[in-house]
Amino acid sequence: MEACPYGDLHIYYLQGRCPADEEETLGACYLGNWEEESCSFLFFTAPADRRVERLLQAHTHLTLLDRFCIPYKDWQQDFSRPLCIGRLHITAPWTDGACPDDALVLRLDPGVVFGSGVHPTTRDCLAALQEVFEEAAPQTVLDLGTGTGVLALAAARLGAEEVLAVDCNPLAVKTARKNVCLNGFGDRVRVVKGRAEDFLDSPAQLLIANIHWEIMDKLLRDRRFLDNKRFILSGLMRSEARRAEDLLEELPVRVRETREHENTWHTLWGEVTR
């Protein structure tokens, strides 16, 4: 078993977008850049003050707003044992613990990206996925807002033949592609960078969207949403779930199940009826 490659995370919070070609100069301890609107969060496994200082000197549009250090276990879940949702067992390469013989095992290195499986919306999506596949296994899946790729990987592990995983964040795309290779799904799961709403021209037998409400709202108002036979929608807080249900009531769809966690996070799965 491998040792966990992450200890303390050293994070540099910058105003401005870090040029992609500069990331190769940030050294072996550099993990990646999480872009959020007009800001960059540079992650390192060790202090990198000098490297970041040289970066700022070379690119005057960048400004250091803050720097902080966080233990990895406070950033992501503790992967000391597998995370089990139904038959799906999610393990990191450094996880200690055996899985049952009939378990569907996913190897996942989330790095610093959202989507380890512990969040209620991810757990509920994984549970809903298993229900969908038990009823009638979709062969094509579109995963919008893939993050680490965990839901796309689960779809492939459950039997999907073609999975298209989309995320607009470069670090998420890089992480998801790494996890596709980690599970040997390179022939079935394709990860691409882009906006979720731009991929409704690639309809599938199952659409998964665990995504911000602003994007979900656009998806539900786009008639191409109906080109997908079934759907799992998540990332919805209570008021957002109500708005999503209102939009779905105007469409030829049937919501099969609604899951909620502590009346805060909501997940819907259903089917197009036309």
Side-chain angles (χ1 to χ4, degrees):
M1 184 180 66
E2 302 174 19
C4 177
Y6 313 110
D8 289 337
L9 297 176
H10 298 265
I11 306 169
Y12 295 79
Y13 173 27
L14 308 181
Q15 178 68 48
R17 291 290 186 94
C18 178
D21 57 356
E22 283 288 353
E23 296 187 29
E24 297 179 0
T25 70
L26 293 176
C29 63
Y30 174 67
L31 292 174
N33 171 22
W34 182 265
E35 296 179 349
E36 193 74 31
E37 296 181 349
S38 62
C39 295
S40 300
F41 295 82
L42 306 182
F43 288 81
F44 296 83
T45 57
D49 293 10
R50 291 184 179 179
R51 290 185 181 275
V52 172
E53 183 178 347
R54 288 197 293 268
L55 176 69
L56 298 176
Q57 291 173 349
H59 300 278
T60 56
H61 73 285
L62 297 174
T63 303
L64 179 64
L65 299 178
D66 200 359
R67 57 159 294 183
F68 38 95
C69 179
I70 300 176
Y72 185 71
K73 63 181 179 62
D74 292 343
W75 186 263
Q76 293 281 20
Q77 77 167 98
D78 179 10
F79 273 110
S80 59
R81 55 184 179 178
L83 175 66
C84 305
I85 299 98
R87 291 183 62 201
L88 291 168
H89 289 236
I90 301 171
T91 71
W94 56 89
T95 297
D96 185 15
C99 297
D101 291 339
D102 64 345
L104 301 175
V105 179
L106 297 177
R107 288 167 58 82
L108 190 78
D109 180 351
V112 298
V113 174
F114 172 81
S116 65
V118 72
H119 193 275
T121 61
T122 312
R123 295 176 68 94
D124 284 347
C125 283
L126 289 167
L129 258 176
Q130 292 175 81
E131 293 182 15
V132 169
F133 273 84
E134 286 170 4
E135 184 178 90
Q139 296 306 300
T140 57
V141 176
L142 176 60
D143 178 23
L144 302 178
T146 197
T148 61
V150 62
L151 298 179
L153 296 172
R157 181 65 75 203
L158 288 164
E161 294 182 356
E162 297 180 18
V163 183
L164 177 60
V166 180
D167 206 292
C168 65
N169 190 285
L171 184 55
V173 171
K174 178 181 177 181
T175 302
R177 286 174 176 167
K178 177 180 179 180
N179 285 317
V180 168
C181 293
L182 194 61
N183 287 273
F185 286 153
D187 61 335
R188 286 195 281 162
V189 181
R190 182 164 64 97
V191 183
V192 298
K193 180 182 180 298
R195 302 186 310 164
E197 58 267 37
D198 292 339
F199 284 82
L200 287 178
D201 283 329
S202 303
Q205 293 176 358
L206 174 65
L207 178 147
I208 310 168
N210 184 8
I211 208 161
H212 295 301
W213 168 250
E214 292 78 10
I215 307 302
M216 184 78 74
D217 183 56
K218 292 180 181 179
L219 298 178
L220 295 180
R221 294 179 186 276
D222 193 315
R223 298 300 295 182
R224 294 174 299 172
F225 172 79
L226 297 173
D227 294 336
N228 302 278
K229 293 184 178 180
R230 287 181 285 177
F231 55 84
I232 298 173
L233 310 177
S234 193
L236 301 166
M237 301 190 74
R238 181 169 56 179
S239 62
E240 296 166 349
R242 290 175 178 169
R243 292 160 69 184
E245 288 170 341
D246 289 342
L247 290 172
L248 290 170
E249 284 182 0
E250 302 298 320
L251 301 175
V253 305
R254 179 163 67 108
V255 175
R256 299 284 301 279
E257 184 180 12
T258 299
R259 291 173 172 267
E260 66 177 56
H261 181 81
E262 295 181 351
N263 205 28
T264 301
W265 295 105
H266 292 68
T267 300
L268 314 172
W269 82 263
E271 60 192 358
V272 176
T273 57
R274 71 175 187 182

